[in-house]
Amino acid sequence: MKNKIIIIGSGFSSLAASCYLAKAGYSVTVLEKNEMVGGRARVFEKDGFKFDMGPSWYWMPDVFESFFADFEKKVSDYYELSKLSPAYQVYFNTSDSIKISDNLNDIKKTFEEVEPGSSKYLQDFIDSAKFNYEVAIKDLVYKPGNSIAELITPVTIQRVNQFFTSIRKKVRKKIKNEKLIQILEFPVLFLGAKPSNTPSFYNFMNYADFGLGTWHPKGGMHEVIKAMISLATSLGVEIRKNSNVSKIVVEDGKTIGVQVDNSLLIADVVLSGADYNHTETLLDKPYRQYSEKYWEKKVLAPSSLLFYVGFDKKIKEVCHHTLFFDSDFDKHAVQIYDEPSWPEKPLFYANFPSLTDPSFAPENKEAGFFLIPIAPGIEDTPEIRETYFNHIMDRFEKLTNQSVKEHILFKKSYCIKEFKEDYNSFKGNAYGLANTLTQTAFLRPKLKSKKVNNLFFTGQLTVPGPGVPPALISGKVVSSLIQKHYPLVHHQNQ
């Protein structure tokens, strides 16, 4: 049987690609090194508590709908979605917080209360963000990142300055209140770069936030993975867990397959959704496209220090998603990007899914997930983790005016060390490559290897970039590329 494709890794991009390729008629095997399928979107369970270990925000619901529609399915065939109201809450100081509603009219009222006159500018800003979103989704993100020509359309030519002006500049042009500025700049944290280095075109994330809203799949983000596994297996995809690829075997400039546990698995095409840098270390040196020097120069999106915490009581004064911006945003950004070091007073994020979804914690208890964005590659020790846990718990208690520390049943931490061990993540990054101007579209690592004819890549280190919706798109784009370069060979007996 010809046309056998092996996919390394089982994150969103790998699973998406597996579905498209299986539907097209290829024989597809997905190899996952861990016990659980889903890449970063795994689940940690303990004592009746459940935690999404990785992605926890469900934005851009249209991209998920579009993915399932490609297989004549709907999201609702697999999982139940609810729109969060409020979408999230942002703390600036003790008892000083802003809740972001689930609709733009109410958000405009909130802005107006904080800064009179700002709602008109907000409407203009979101109109422009919506326009950019539609351009991005319709014209740009489904391109393979081969050349600058992909970015040149009649629309982008008219608005080319958006690629050379930063989000920071655009936001601060009219809005002066620091709190509102931080709320508008925060979505680019998902793109993993400083607002001052992110092209203003990426304000389409603000439309994803204020226009399309924040959603919750009942049971959590891993339910999306389960849906994709169900779809993939129904299409004939074979998924093998505990299958760690130790080498990509190349002969005469083509891969013939991969080495797993001392046995060679033969393939006509290999696609890696694993960490790009790591995947290239599985090749003999002559077949690697990018040197270590190349990777060292790249601007990586942040890593994260994460805590999964079980509380023996309900937590008050918080929303499902709560952001803590009671410290200097810019200083923290410098300590992530410019002078990589542990931040003195970090911003942090807390997620309490059990407020919305009782499946996450036993009755009258709370599941809390805390995240501090940090520079990838910095020192990671148990002592440092403990120091930061105590630091954010002290702030959390003060800001929300309640005691929680003595109500902790257990906590589990996750940081650079585990990102490297579990995902072979370069420098332990959590989100991939930052979307700076010089790392946008065709300037990102390529989907198709330049040195090994039938080797391809997908996921957050290539196009279109970090985040779950971009990962789904990456899987679709690379599957089209594979079909173009390696069309199905139909045998007489097939």
Side-chain angles (χ1 to χ4, degrees):
M1 171 92 180
K2 278 291 270 180
N3 311 312
K4 178 154 183 54
I5 296 180
I6 283 177
I7 299 179
I8 305 170
S10 69
F12 285 104
S13 56
S14 292
L15 290 175
S18 79
C19 293
Y20 287 109
L21 291 164
K23 183 190 175 198
Y26 296 84
S27 167
V28 183
T29 303
V30 172
L31 303 175
E32 169 52 57
K33 78 184 272 283
N34 294 314
E35 175 62 41
M36 190 181 288
V37 174
R40 284 161 168 76
R42 295 183 299 154
V43 172
F44 166 56
E45 294 187 66
K46 181 174 170 144
D47 303 339
F49 291 83
K50 182 171 68 175
F51 304 86
D52 276 319
M53 292 181 71
S56 59
W57 292 74
Y58 192 103
W59 272 7
M60 301 165 72
D62 51 325
V63 174
F64 295 85
E65 288 291 355
S66 169
F67 168 75
F68 286 106
D70 284 341
F71 303 91
E72 281 145 26
K73 301 283 186 189
K74 298 193 294 288
V75 157
S76 57
D77 294 336
Y78 296 99
Y79 54 89
E80 194 184 312
L81 270 185
S82 55
K83 196 175 192 187
L84 295 180
S85 179
Y88 55 90
Q89 180 174 8
V90 186
Y91 269 93
F92 297 97
N93 270 306
T94 308
S95 307
D96 173 16
S97 73
I98 292 176
K99 285 182 182 170
I100 296 299
S101 172
D102 65 346
N103 68 85
L104 187 56
N105 281 337
D106 286 348
I107 297 169
K108 279 160 65 180
K109 285 178 196 160
T110 300
F111 268 58
E112 200 60 29
E113 283 164 19
V114 176
E115 183 181 326
S118 62
S119 63
K120 184 196 174 303
Y121 176 66
L122 178 64
Q123 182 66 61
D124 294 345
F125 182 76
I126 296 301
D127 287 345
S128 138
K130 181 181 182 184
F131 183 87
N132 285 345
Y133 186 86
E134 285 167 358
V135 169
I137 292 297
K138 284 180 189 151
D139 296 338
L140 302 182
V141 294
Y142 288 93
K143 300 280 173 67
N146 288 334
S147 77
I148 192 169
E150 294 170 6
L151 294 179
I152 299 168
T153 69
V155 174
T156 57
I157 285 169
Q158 286 174 358
R159 300 162 79 94
V160 73
N161 66 322
Q162 291 197 97
F163 289 94
F164 300 99
T165 310
S166 71
I167 277 195
R168 165 147 292 193
K169 221 168 180 178
K170 193 170 175 75
V171 166
R172 289 169 186 255
K173 204 171 173 184
K174 297 276 171 65
I175 288 184
K176 301 302 171 205
N177 183 278
E178 203 57 42
K179 294 175 193 173
L180 300 183
I181 286 168
Q182 285 192 351
I183 288 169
L184 288 175
E185 288 183 348
F186 125 76
V188 302
L189 292 176
F190 284 75
L191 300 168
K194 291 198 298 187
S196 55
N197 285 351
T198 304
S200 68
F201 177 76
Y202 285 108
N203 76 342
F204 66 73
M205 289 297 285
N206 294 100
Y207 175 68
D209 179 359
F210 288 0
L212 298 172
T214 303
W215 300 73
H216 173 71
K218 189 177 179 183
M221 290 297 283
H222 192 69
E223 292 304 307
V224 186
I225 291 290
K226 285 186 187 168
M228 295 176 79
I229 293 169
S230 170
L231 175 61
T233 50
S234 75
L235 293 163
V237 175
E238 182 192 1
I239 299 173
R240 296 190 195 175
K241 298 184 281 192
N242 300 310
S243 297
N244 191 20
V245 174
S246 55
K247 188 173 176 66
I248 298 170
V249 183
V250 179
E251 287 181 5
D252 302 324
K254 287 186 80 172
T255 171
I256 57 164
V258 300
Q259 197 94 36
V260 178
D261 299 328
N262 300 321
S263 60
L264 176 66
L265 301 182
I266 299 292
D268 298 300
V269 172
V270 172
L271 167 62
S272 179
D275 180 274
Y276 205 124
N277 168 273
H278 167 73
T279 303
E280 290 223 310
T281 68
L282 302 176
L283 293 159
D284 289 334
K285 272 199 169 156
Y287 298 114
R288 297 175 193 174
Q289 308 166 87
Y290 303 110
S291 65
E292 285 303 314
K293 204 171 165 187
Y294 169 89
W295 290 108
E296 286 296 336
K297 284 183 176 168
K298 290 284 141 195
V299 180
L300 290 171
S303 186
S304 300
L305 169 54
L306 302 159
F307 297 100
Y308 313 108
V309 188
F311 295 97
D312 70 4
K313 68 165 190 176
K314 298 305 282 180
I315 305 294
K316 301 188 186 95
E317 305 301 327
V318 290
C319 291
H320 183 122
H321 296 293
T322 308
L323 297 151
F324 293 86
F325 286 2
D326 58 311
S327 62
D328 190 323
F329 189 101
D330 289 337
K331 194 169 182 185
H332 188 171
V334 164
Q335 290 168 328
I336 292 174
Y337 296 104
D338 305 332
E339 299 158 12
S341 54
W342 279 95
E344 282 167 42
K345 194 182 175 191
L347 295 92
F348 67 98
Y349 154 64
N351 173 24
F352 299 97
S354 43
L355 289 173
T356 306
D357 185 338
S359 74
F360 277 84
E363 204 175 342
N364 298 320
K365 294 179 181 172
E366 208 84 86
F369 162 122
F370 297 82
L371 181 154
I372 302 172
I374 58 169
I378 57 176
E379 183 188 13
D380 170 20
T381 66
E383 295 73 24
I384 292 172
R385 296 185 190 194
E386 194 60 25
T387 300
Y388 277 87
F389 182 73
N390 292 326
H391 173 77
I392 63 170
M393 283 298 125
D394 288 344
R395 277 167 57 195
F396 182 86
E397 288 189 330
K398 190 177 164 196
L399 290 160
T400 63
N401 202 18
Q402 64 190 310
S403 65
V404 297
K405 277 190 282 194
E406 66 264 37
H407 295 280
I408 292 171
L409 295 169
F410 65 85
K411 73 171 189 291
K412 174 186 169 76
S413 67
Y414 197 98
C415 196
I416 287 170
K417 181 171 165 281
E418 288 83 3
F419 278 109
K420 287 179 181 173
E421 284 171 3
D422 293 348
Y423 312 122
N424 295 309
S425 166
F426 181 59
K427 291 190 175 180
N429 81 80
Y431 305 107
L433 277 184
N435 268 343
T436 59
L437 178 62
T438 56
Q439 293 181 173
T440 289
F442 68 100
L443 296 169
R444 296 175 77 80
K446 298 293 180 225
L447 291 169
K448 183 181 186 304
S449 170
K450 296 181 289 231
K451 295 196 174 180
V452 181
N453 276 336
N454 52 345
L455 174 63
F456 295 81
F457 299 83
T458 186
Q460 59 187 12
L461 285 161
T462 182
V463 291
V468 176
L472 295 179
I473 292 166
S474 186
K476 180 173 185 175
V477 175
V478 79
S479 66
S480 301
L481 208 56
I482 289 169
Q483 290 172 62
K484 182 180 147 194
H485 286 278
Y486 290 92
L488 275 169
V489 178
H490 291 285
H491 297 295
Q492 294 295 315
N493 60 351
Q494 271 182 243

